[in-house]
Amino acid sequence: METNDETLALAAAGGDATAFGVLVRRHYDRLFGLCYRLLGTRTEAEDLTQDICAALPSKLAQFRGESKFTTWLYRVAVNAAHDRRRKQSTHAKAATGWGGWEIGRQADNQEEREKQQWLSEALNALSPELRDTVALILGQEQTHAQAGEILGVSEGTIAWRMSEVKKHLRAYHQKEGYP
């Protein structure tokens, strides 16, 4: 019989390396998928997923088993993505003050971004709150109630956000000249 995630998480929080390994193997791909949807690039998602896994042993001390492990883990990922976006925003604002030299240096050092499909471009244009919501609802197949719990908002707010996502996608579709 397979041990459930909550039991493994509590064991891993107590220092059980085997339980920790099982959790990481079990959830790494879905965690990466969520990070990709939250950040929009493979490189950033890989970095964030690895950062989360590296920090997970100490973070597990905060897991109390009051919610599903995946709910708790997705909340950790959403918070980590928010922190990364804030950091990137701060760096971008700081770089503005350096003028053309800094902008040129950043352009030279920036990795070539992967080409993204139309939907990926449209989702990246969403606000962080809407992107987080759609990543959980569509990407991770969470219910509105589960997404609300992860994001700390009501189920009604999640429904409203998904309605806003649909409006945005329709407008983006028309803007791009599609029938």
Side-chain angles (χ1 to χ4, degrees):
M1 188 164 128
E2 187 174 278
T3 307
N4 70 34
D5 292 337
E6 291 71 27
T7 302
L8 288 170
L10 292 171
D16 185 336
T18 302
F20 178 77
V22 170
L23 279 175
V24 170
R25 281 189 299 279
R26 200 178 276 180
H27 295 286
Y28 188 88
D29 290 340
R30 289 191 311 180
L31 180 61
F32 170 77
L34 174 60
C35 291
Y36 182 79
R37 288 174 189 89
L38 293 171
L39 298 175
T41 66
R42 182 173 197 79
T43 304
E44 286 289 325
E46 287 170 348
D47 288 347
L48 184 60
T49 303
Q50 291 173 7
D51 290 348
I52 291 168
C53 288
L56 206 51
S58 64
K59 291 210 175 279
L60 278 169
Q62 299 168 0
F63 181 73
R64 295 182 301 275
E66 295 171 356
S67 63
K68 286 180 58 179
F69 174 74
T70 52
T71 299
W72 177 85
L73 180 61
Y74 291 162
R75 183 72 207 157
V76 168
V78 167
N79 286 339
H82 285 184
D83 290 345
R84 186 166 290 231
R85 285 187 211 125
R86 277 192 294 271
K87 184 177 178 183
Q88 288 172 340
S89 176
T90 301
H91 284 245
K93 288 177 185 174
T96 303
W98 287 84
W101 177 82
E102 177 64 15
I103 292 170
R105 187 188 71 76
Q106 286 184 4
D108 291 342
N109 292 335
Q110 183 177 7
E111 289 183 14
E112 182 177 316
R113 295 190 181 264
E114 295 179 4
K115 289 185 178 184
Q116 297 185 5
Q117 296 176 3
W118 176 89
L119 183 57
S120 179
E121 291 172 2
L123 292 176
N124 284 335
L126 294 172
S127 70
E129 294 81 14
L130 294 178
R131 189 180 316 149
D132 296 347
T133 303
V134 79
L136 289 169
I137 297 293
L138 300 178
Q140 299 306 121
E141 299 179 0
Q142 298 290 298
T143 66
H144 286 199
Q146 291 167 327
E149 183 179 346
I150 292 167
L151 297 174
V153 298
S154 72
E155 191 174 343
T157 298
I158 296 297
W160 175 84
R161 285 181 180 179
M162 289 304 294
S163 173
E164 289 299 303
V165 167
K166 290 175 188 173
K167 287 179 193 174
H168 172 78
L169 291 177
R170 276 193 294 272
Y172 192 84
H173 193 261
Q174 289 174 346
K175 176 182 162 192
E176 295 300 318
Y178 293 98

